[in-house]
Amino acid sequence: MVSFAIPENQLKGTLPPTIGLTLPNLQEFYVGDNEFSGVIPQSFSNASRLQALGMDNNNFSGEVPASFGRLRELWWLGLSDNSLGSHLPNNLDFIAPLTNCSQMQVLGLSTNKFKGVLPNYVANLSSTLSNLYLGGNQISGNIPSALGNLANLIVLGLDLNLFVGVIPTSLGKLKKLQALHLDMNMLSGKIPTSIGNLTQLFELYLSDNKLEGSVPMKIADCHNLQTLDISNNRLTGEIPREIFLLSSLSTLFTLSHNLLTGHLPAEVGKLKNIHTIDLSENNLTGKIPETIGDCQVLEFLLLQGNSFEGTLPSTLASLKGVQYLDFSRNNLTGEIPKDLQNLHSLVYLNLSFNDLEGEVPNDGVFHNISGVSLAGNTKLCGGVPKLHLQTCSETRSKKGKTKGLKLTIIIVLVASFFLFSIGFIMLCWRRSSQRQTTVMLPKLSVLSKISYKRLFEATNGFSSSMLIGTGSFGSVYKGILDREENPIAVKVLNLKQKGAGKSFIAECNALRNVRHRNLVKILTCCSSIDYKGDEFKALVFEYMSSGSLEKWLHLASNDENYSTGLNLLQRLNIAIDVASAIHYLHDDCDQLIIHRDLKPCNVLLDNEMVAHVSDFGIARLVSNTISSMNGQTSTTGLKGTIGYAAPEYAMGGEPSREGDVYSYGILVLEMFTGKRPTDEIFEDDFNLHNFVAMALPERLVEIVDSSLLPREAEENALMRRELDARNNNNNIGGTEIEIEVGLGNQISAHLWKCLISVLEIGIACSKESPNERMKMGNVTRELQHIRNAYISIENSGQGRRTN
């Protein structure tokens, strides 16, 4: 056999164009894992006896030679991890000649720049084809149902593309299939039950799509399944118990970031060979079953972001090899099992934001504060000093106090007579003074207060140099209470504004019980008289050192502090932060709170660029709106800002969740296009929503903020806009001169998909009809899905290779 193989030698340069003529009897040629560039020589077709051609992981570009179709003995063609297809708008036509290679078994074309619609004649490839790799490209359209005719397929990789539509039921005919990769696309609809016919399947990856419906019970018929990943979709309903009976599951079982409900069944203990279970970010309820301790080889258990309740299973201590446990953001109660400190392999334990109580162990993972998170559990005590938890002495003293319970009961009984008498006297007094108290403003109850003098000194006499913002209900100043303390933000209410006094009380009451990492936290308040003898009311908030989102989006050229701007990941994180805060106000507070004036200047950033929603000066608890405002709901400024306010508000509509969603949608569109909704180009019925909706998807590059694009795409987008201006075409229409500014070699597939998906959310939130807008809970999940997909691709390096 004539063979030429020089893999992994860091060789550079191009291949000789006459290589096939020079080696006419060549049967194997492998130069994978080098740094060769240029085009693939057409002359390979002259080596008519060629059986294996491996050129993976180089820098080859251009077309796949159509002449490869003359290599009738070729059974392996490996061209993955190159830059092939980078210069053509639709470059999958080379597949047609390859159908003549009747011996083809392995066709590797993944991680290139192929784009266009996958043609149906892909099913005409050799009947002997066993491995088909097309992942990591920019292939769009539907997945051809004809793929089900490739009966000998063992591996089908279509991941990380732009496929849309449903998963063809015909894939259920691939009875020999062992690995199916459809993840990181834009597939929708339900998971077909025909997947249950793939009884030889080892790996099933359907994550990072838009799949809906329930998890098919038929997946349990895949008796050889080792990896099941259907995370980051829109699945609903309960997890079928039958799937937990798949003893073959050993590598990964994840349904995270969906909308699943119901309990985690006791059958989870049947997964005795599983390495990772990830059911995080769903709506699962009930107790975590004790049978989880039967998963003896489990190393990663992720259940965060659900509604699990009850105590932590004591059987967790049986997981001797577990390394990573995350139960955060649930409703767990009771004490932390002390035996968890004996798990020597455990390096990370997150129990934050539950309702756990009792003493925290001192050894094992609990000794390493970087490996344990207990935030949001106010009843915990003890632990190592660096955790800064309260001591447990009070808890222990309660046991001693129970010894005097009988004495306490006797004292209470004796005192009850006197209390009854006092109560009768107080009742009479209250009746006599009822008329007087009804005209007084409600009190601030338990909120701690600060004096006017301290605030006056902290803000240098409310100096203009300390002013950081103004609004319809007052001004905000930066202040320093003490030299060693962190800065504060002092919101001084304009008491000349109608309803301001009531606004102050309403805002205090609304904020005192509101706790969310993405809401600006109220520290204290002041209700006093200033040095002029006038009434003074102010709120004191955390100071956000990085300023407002407004400045980061629009003042980058004018302020050196903001000269770097915001990158794509930062904007994604901010969008998620704001969505999480509004979702909390709408759905997770004790009472529904409508913000009413969501806009970039009301989104503040801390020193870690975490977003915090601010300005509840116009917010009201909806249940108290009518009574507290006495019909003043139409006061100027109470229903938002022009450009951000929902259209129904202009027609007298009441503040609503849907109104906040509209404002959020406009904010998202502004974040990713860099255009304000009040820019001059928007007039009459042409607004920011229409500007984006009319442009997608073909003209994405022209409307997106240029700082988010590669330089080449930015330059071409600028050229296109200049041509539009010359042709007096100010809308997002076409021009007489066509310039390729969309997908292709200017913007990678994963960046294109990320931007399109985010802008589609902005459009869906800012629809004119309130009933058609998204729910904030769904918005949060969708954005987390988009961010996770983007990060995973960037971290894998695939995103860089497709640029």
Side-chain angles (χ1 to χ4, degrees):
M1 176 176 290
V2 181
S3 177
F4 181 87
I6 47 172
E8 300 182 54
N9 278 280
Q10 298 182 336
L11 298 175
K12 299 182 180 180
T14 60
L15 296 180
T18 60
I19 190 170
L21 298 172
T22 306
L23 301 170
N25 296 317
L26 187 65
Q27 293 175 281
E28 291 184 352
F29 183 86
Y30 187 66
V31 293
D33 298 292
N34 282 290
E35 298 179 29
F36 285 111
S37 57
V39 299
I40 299 175
Q42 294 274 355
S43 63
F44 271 117
S45 61
N46 294 99
S48 57
R49 299 178 60 188
L50 194 62
Q51 299 177 16
L53 179 59
M55 310 173 75
D56 308 85
N57 199 14
N58 281 281
N59 297 312
F60 291 110
S61 58
E63 302 178 58
V64 177
S67 58
F68 278 0
R70 298 203 296 265
L71 300 174
R72 300 303 177 91
E73 296 184 30
L74 190 66
W75 68 270
W76 176 33
L77 178 59
L79 303 176
S80 296
D81 294 284
N82 283 286
S83 295
L84 296 169
S86 57
H87 302 303
L88 294 175
N90 191 323
N91 44 35
L92 293 172
D93 295 337
F94 67 88
I95 293 179
L98 292 181
T99 60
N100 295 321
C101 302
S102 58
Q103 305 299 317
M104 186 75 72
Q105 296 181 34
V106 179
L107 179 57
L109 303 171
S110 60
T111 319
N112 279 285
K113 296 186 177 181
F114 298 122
K115 51 186 175 287
V117 177
L118 189 62
N120 282 320
Y121 55 70
V122 68
N124 296 332
L125 289 168
S126 170
S127 60
T128 62
L129 188 66
S130 61
N131 296 60
L132 177 60
Y133 302 96
L134 293 171
N137 285 288
Q138 301 168 13
I139 305 173
S140 55
N142 294 325
I143 297 175
S145 59
L147 282 176
N149 296 329
L150 296 173
N152 287 303
L153 271 186
I154 295 176
V155 177
L156 176 59
L158 303 178
D159 51 303
L160 193 54
N161 276 288
L162 304 172
F163 286 112
V164 296
V166 300
I167 299 174
T169 59
S170 60
L171 296 185
K173 298 190 296 182
L174 303 176
K175 298 296 182 66
K176 296 182 179 180
L177 202 63
Q178 297 181 15
L180 177 59
H181 294 241
L182 303 180
D183 47 307
M184 296 186 184
N185 281 284
M186 304 175 76
L187 299 170
S188 57
K190 296 183 177 181
I191 301 172
T193 58
S194 60
I195 284 183
N197 299 332
L198 307 178
T199 56
Q200 301 300 312
L201 203 61
F202 279 62
E203 299 177 349
L204 177 58
Y205 287 94
L206 304 178
S207 64
D208 296 282
N209 282 288
K210 299 180 180 180
L211 299 173
E212 300 175 337
S214 58
V215 180
M217 187 187 306
K218 296 290 289 182
I219 289 180
D221 292 339
C222 302
H223 300 299
N224 293 296
L225 200 60
Q226 297 179 10
T227 299
L228 176 60
D229 185 353
I230 321 181
S231 59
N232 286 295
N233 280 287
R234 302 171 180 173
L235 301 175
T236 55
E238 298 186 5
I239 307 173
R241 293 176 180 269
E242 289 78 5
I243 292 181
F244 293 98
L245 301 178
L246 274 173
S247 58
S248 59
L249 280 175
S250 57
T251 305
L252 173 66
F253 174 45
T254 174
L255 298 172
S256 67
H257 290 88
N258 280 287
L259 303 170
L260 299 169
T261 56
H263 295 179
L264 179 59
E267 284 81 358
V268 67
K270 300 293 184 180
L271 300 176
K272 297 185 182 298
N273 301 311
I274 195 68
H275 174 273
T276 299
I277 296 177
D278 185 358
L279 302 177
S280 60
E281 307 300 338
N282 280 287
N283 297 318
L284 300 175
T285 56
K287 295 183 177 182
I288 301 173
E290 293 282 340
T291 53
I292 196 73
D294 295 335
C295 303
Q296 289 297 304
V297 299
L298 190 64
E299 295 186 15
F300 294 84
L301 177 58
L302 306 156
L303 300 179
Q304 70 270 22
N306 283 285
S307 296
F308 288 114
E309 56 191 23
T311 59
L312 284 166
S314 59
T315 55
L316 290 172
S318 302
L319 303 176
K320 300 301 182 182
V322 71
Q323 300 179 29
Y324 196 107
L325 293 174
D326 196 337
F327 301 104
S328 60
R329 291 178 289 114
N330 280 286
N331 300 316
L332 299 172
T333 56
E335 298 185 353
I336 300 174
K338 294 188 182 300
D339 288 342
L340 290 182
Q341 66 185 348
N342 299 325
L343 294 175
H344 301 298
S345 60
L346 185 60
V347 295
Y348 180 83
L349 174 64
N350 192 344
L351 301 175
S352 59
F353 299 102
N354 283 284
D355 194 23
L356 300 171
E357 60 184 24
E359 186 172 4
V360 175
N362 291 311
D363 297 327
V365 70
F366 299 97
H367 186 72
N368 178 17
I369 62 170
S370 64
V372 64
S373 179
L374 303 173
N377 293 281
T378 58
K379 301 176 185 177
L380 289 176
C381 62
V384 296
K386 289 184 179 181
L387 290 174
H388 302 294
L389 298 176
Q390 61 185 342
T391 61
C392 296
S393 58
E394 295 181 2
T395 304
R396 299 189 192 100
S397 65
K398 289 181 180 179
K399 296 180 179 179
K401 290 180 181 179
T402 56
K403 298 179 180 179
L405 181 60
K406 293 182 179 180
L407 180 60
T408 302
I409 294 175
I410 295 173
I411 294 174
V412 170
L413 290 174
V414 172
S416 61
F417 173 78
F418 297 100
L419 292 175
F420 176 81
S421 300
I422 293 173
F424 179 79
I425 295 172
M426 290 294 294
L427 179 61
C428 295
W429 178 82
R430 288 182 63 185
R431 288 179 176 175
S432 65
S433 60
Q434 183 175 10
R435 182 174 301 174
Q436 179 180 355
T437 58
T438 54
V439 297
M440 297 174 62
L441 288 175
K443 296 182 179 180
L444 297 179
S445 63
V446 298
L447 277 173
S448 61
K449 297 183 181 180
I450 189 172
S451 69
Y452 172 79
K453 178 182 178 181
R454 289 194 69 191
L455 292 183
F456 186 86
E457 294 172 347
T459 59
N460 293 333
F462 300 105
S463 167
S464 59
S465 63
M466 304 293 281
L467 184 66
I468 56 177
T470 58
S472 61
F473 270 78
S475 302
V476 182
Y477 296 85
K478 179 181 178 181
I480 304 292
L481 286 176
D482 295 302
R483 290 184 179 179
E484 297 181 357
E485 290 190 16
N486 292 326
I488 57 172
V490 182
K491 180 178 179 181
V492 180
L493 271 72
N494 175 15
L495 297 180
K496 296 178 181 179
Q497 174 77 38
K498 187 177 182 181
K502 294 180 180 180
S503 169
F504 177 73
I505 300 299
E507 185 166 0
C508 289
N509 287 332
L511 286 177
R512 68 181 180 184
N513 293 320
V514 172
R515 291 291 183 269
H516 192 278
R517 70 184 293 269
N518 299 123
L519 291 175
V520 176
K521 181 182 178 182
I522 184 172
L523 301 177
T524 183
C525 65
C526 178
S527 179
S528 184
I529 302 297
D530 64 18
Y531 289 154
K532 297 180 181 179
D534 295 327
E535 187 178 10
F536 177 88
K537 295 185 185 295
L539 294 169
V540 180
F541 297 94
E542 291 177 304
Y543 177 74
M544 298 288 120
S545 59
S546 295
S548 72
L549 177 61
E550 168 80 14
K551 293 182 178 180
W552 282 92
L553 291 178
H554 300 298
L555 297 185
S557 60
N558 301 329
D559 192 326
E560 61 181 7
N561 294 325
Y562 303 94
S563 59
T564 56
L566 296 170
N567 61 36
L568 177 60
L569 186 57
Q570 286 175 319
R571 298 186 200 211
L572 279 173
N573 287 334
I574 291 170
I576 293 171
D577 290 342
V578 177
S580 299
I582 301 302
H583 174 44
Y584 172 81
L585 294 176
H586 286 183
D587 301 307
D588 293 336
C589 277
D590 292 337
Q591 289 180 291
L592 168 64
I593 298 177
I594 304 299
H595 188 285
R596 306 191 195 195
D597 197 21
L598 187 61
K599 54 187 177 182
C601 65
N602 284 338
V603 177
L604 306 180
L605 306 174
D606 63 21
N607 60 347
E608 295 181 352
M609 300 304 287
V610 175
H612 303 257
V613 175
S614 71
D615 198 350
F616 288 83
I618 57 173
R620 295 293 183 273
L621 295 176
V622 167
S623 61
N624 296 330
T625 296
I626 297 177
S627 62
S628 66
M629 293 304 299
N630 295 322
Q632 297 178 26
T633 54
S634 61
T635 302
T636 302
L638 287 185
K639 290 185 180 179
T641 302
I642 294 174
Y644 301 93
E648 62 268 20
Y649 286 178
M651 297 180 288
E654 291 297 319
S656 63
R657 286 186 177 96
E658 292 76 17
D660 278 357
V661 174
Y662 180 90
S663 301
Y664 176 81
I666 296 299
L667 183 144
V668 168
L669 296 181
E670 181 175 356
M671 286 177 62
F672 288 86
T673 64
K675 292 189 177 296
R676 291 186 175 94
T678 54
D679 284 353
E680 293 181 356
I681 65 170
F682 303 127
E683 56 184 14
D684 299 328
D685 293 331
F686 185 60
N687 54 28
L688 181 57
H689 170 95
N690 297 333
F691 172 79
V692 177
M694 292 167 60
L696 297 185
E698 292 84 3
R699 296 180 178 270
L700 168 70
V701 177
E702 293 183 49
I703 64 165
V704 77
D705 190 333
S706 59
S707 66
L708 301 178
L709 298 174
R711 179 174 298 178
E712 182 183 0
E714 180 183 350
E715 292 173 352
N716 279 338
L718 178 61
M719 187 185 305
R720 183 57 176 264
R721 286 193 289 269
E722 291 176 352
L723 288 171
D724 285 343
R726 293 176 189 174
N727 293 328
N728 296 319
N729 186 0
N730 294 322
N731 294 326
I732 305 297
T735 62
E736 296 178 0
I737 303 176
E738 291 298 326
I739 299 176
E740 184 186 352
V741 294
L743 207 51
N745 61 341
Q746 302 168 13
I747 177 171
S748 63
H750 78 288
L751 176 58
W752 186 89
K753 179 181 176 182
C754 176
L755 291 171
I756 285 288
S757 300
V758 172
L759 291 174
E760 284 179 344
I761 288 177
I763 292 173
C765 289
S766 58
K767 288 187 176 181
E768 184 172 357
S769 172
N771 295 332
E772 294 180 0
R773 297 170 196 159
M774 294 180 68
K775 305 294 184 184
M776 289 310 301
N778 293 336
V779 170
T780 305
R781 292 179 184 275
E782 288 289 323
L783 287 173
Q784 288 172 337
H785 169 188
I786 294 167
R787 179 187 61 184
N788 292 343
Y790 179 79
I791 291 175
S792 64
I793 298 168
E794 286 291 298
N795 290 342
S796 69
Q798 293 178 350
R800 292 187 292 275
R801 289 194 61 82
T802 55
N803 282 336

